[in-house]
Amino acid sequence: MGKRLDSSWIAKMLPRLVHVSPGQETEADHIRLQFHAVESVQAIEISPGVLRTQKPYTLFGVQQTLWKDQPLESSTLTLPFTIQMPVVNYPPSVKHEYYQCTFKLTAFLEHSSQVLRSTEKLVYYRPFIETCLLKKPIRAPDGQLELHALEFIPGDTIPVTIFMDSDSSKRRIVTAKLYRTVRLNCFRDIPKLTELIVSQQWDEGDLGERMERELEISLLRIPLDMIPSFSYSSVFSISYQLKVSVKYKQFGGLWSSGREFQFPVTIGTLSYGVYGPSQLRIYSTLSTEEQRQQVPLFMRAAEHSDTLPPYDSTRLPTYQNAVAL
């Protein structure tokens, strides 16, 4: 039974802190927080001296006064707050040569309407993208290997079953390459860009004497910093392809040309059996009115004074006040 992240969890809660040290800013009378997200296309040279650009698109922009009309003490002032994200899938945080999607949190220390000091921080955002195992494994046309999943999250390894050849004089090398394809949906005349992300090779000759009829191996590991697959942006999309090639060689002989197989792969953000909120919406499907309503909210930081202290194995609790029942 899978675990669903319902609306009671409300997408994502982002706890944050603002630290203020008094100094030249002692005349400040309030702190204003701003949280906004923007999709933008980098300027692309389509011919010598001619650039193709597009106006940045604001996904949302909200602000809140965090502190107002209170004197700054002599020590550093810490102001906790929480951002509650709407149940909406935005594009992930991306910085690419074609495209950027940034989520930025900015704090302004102000006196009246004059900004005395500001600081900003990028927020690393990932949408809800589900993954699942295949109901039935996919076997390569030559019958030599079998894949059990085509959807993964960063950090996963891609497992594969290799079916061993009864001819022990043959040696195989399996090469796996993961490619990323990016496309500007807003500029159809700009060619898609495909780039190699990671590759790995498995050599049957490293096994020594073989006894098993089939062997489970890890084909390659997906990097932790992988951008998830997404195609719901009207501006940009990212997809992945797994290419697997198998070459054969008689021990002491020449390599055969082998065969190459290609599989579409999804890089998600939720592990197998974990599902996004049932009310989840895609930002590009929202009406203008819904876009105004479905925005992040600033909330008071949750303070739980009645929670247990952090567990410390070197300091066990005392039990002299325990009551026997």
Side-chain angles (χ1 to χ4, degrees), residues 142 173 244-249 255-261:
D142 68 350
I173 286 186
V244 181
S245 63
V246 182
K247 291 185 178 182
Y248 298 88
K249 177 185 180 182
W255 287 104
S256 68
S257 57
R259 300 184 63 181
E260 184 175 81
F261 314 104

Side-chain angles (χ1 to χ4, degrees), residues 215-230:
L215 182 68
E216 298 281 344
I217 66 169
S218 296
L219 207 52
L220 58 77
R221 180 177 292 276
I222 298 172
L224 290 171
D225 59 353
M226 287 284 279
I227 303 169
S229 309
F230 71 102

Side-chain angles (χ1 to χ4, degrees), residues 9-289:
W9 192 73
I10 301 295
K12 296 175 181 177
M13 305 290 285
L14 305 176
R16 292 289 184 267
L17 293 173
V18 170
H19 299 280
V20 182
S21 297
Q24 297 178 350
E25 301 84 4
T26 52
E27 295 182 354
D29 54 21
H30 67 279
I31 293 174
R32 177 169 57 90
L33 290 179
Q34 183 184 82
F35 184 38
H36 69 283
V38 176
E39 274 188 297
S40 60
V41 176
Q42 311 282 39
I44 299 174
E45 188 173 26
I46 57 176
S47 61
V50 179
L51 297 178
R52 173 76 65 85
T53 60
Q54 177 168 297
K55 182 180 178 181
Y57 176 71
T58 299
L59 301 175
F60 60 78
V62 293
Q63 60 181 3
Q64 175 76 26
T65 299
L66 185 62
W67 165 84
K68 186 176 182 180
D69 296 332
Q70 297 178 16
L72 288 174
E73 304 295 339
S74 58
S75 59
T76 298
L77 178 64
T78 300
L79 303 169
F81 65 94
T82 297
I83 297 174
Q84 177 179 283
M85 296 294 289
V87 191
V88 174
N89 255 3
Y90 297 105
S93 299
V94 177
K95 186 175 183 181
H96 189 268
E97 62 180 279
Y98 278 1
Y99 165 89
Q100 280 195 123
C101 186
T102 56
F103 295 76
K104 188 181 296 184
L105 184 63
T106 309
F108 301 91
L109 191 65
E110 299 180 331
H111 175 70
S112 298
S113 59
Q114 180 182 2
V115 177
L116 302 176
R117 179 174 291 187
S118 66
T119 185
E120 63 183 33
K121 186 175 182 64
L122 292 177
V123 176
Y124 186 76
Y125 173 81
R126 286 292 180 258
F128 293 108
I129 300 178
E130 300 173 2
T131 59
C132 65
L133 292 167
L134 292 170
K135 293 183 178 180
K136 184 178 180 181
I138 294 179
R139 181 169 290 197
D142 68 350
Q144 295 296 307
L145 56 89
E146 196 173 69
L147 288 168
H148 301 274
L150 293 174
E151 299 181 356
F152 308 94
I153 63 173
D156 278 351
T157 56
I158 298 180
V160 65
T161 299
I162 301 288
F163 296 96
M164 310 306 291
D165 198 315
S166 58
D167 186 354
S168 61
S169 67
K170 284 186 177 180
R171 171 187 172 190
R172 279 177 299 182
I173 286 186
V174 180
T175 303
K177 297 181 179 181
L178 184 64
Y179 290 88
R180 177 168 61 207
T181 298
V182 300
R183 186 190 299 273
L184 280 172
N185 300 328
C186 56
F187 297 150
R188 292 295 182 178
D189 57 333
I190 302 295
K192 64 182 180 180
L193 177 63
T194 299
E195 48 199 340
L196 175 64
I197 301 301
V198 63
S199 65
Q200 189 167 315
Q201 195 173 77
W202 174 81
D203 190 338
E204 190 174 10
D206 296 335
L207 292 178
E209 186 176 354
R210 299 166 301 185
M211 301 296 295
E212 306 90 343
R213 292 186 61 251
E214 56 186 66
L215 182 68
E216 298 281 344
I217 66 169
S218 296
L219 207 52
L220 58 77
R221 180 177 292 276
I222 298 172
L224 290 171
D225 59 353
M226 287 284 279
I227 303 169
S229 309
F230 71 102
S231 59
Y232 50 81
S233 167
S234 59
V235 180
F236 189 74
S237 62
I238 289 180
S239 59
Y240 293 91
Q241 302 81 38
L242 175 66
K243 292 184 179 180
V244 181
S245 63
V246 182
K247 291 185 178 182
Y248 298 88
K249 177 185 180 182
Q250 295 284 346
F251 284 102
L254 299 176
W255 287 104
S256 68
S257 57
R259 300 184 63 181
E260 184 175 81
F261 314 104
Q262 181 169 320
F263 307 93
V265 168
T266 296
I267 304 299
T269 58
L270 300 177
S271 301
Y272 303 141
V274 179
Y275 307 100
S278 55
Q279 300 87 355
L280 185 65
R281 302 284 302 276
I282 302 299
Y283 86 106
S284 55
T285 66
L286 300 177
S287 66
T288 302
E289 181 60 29

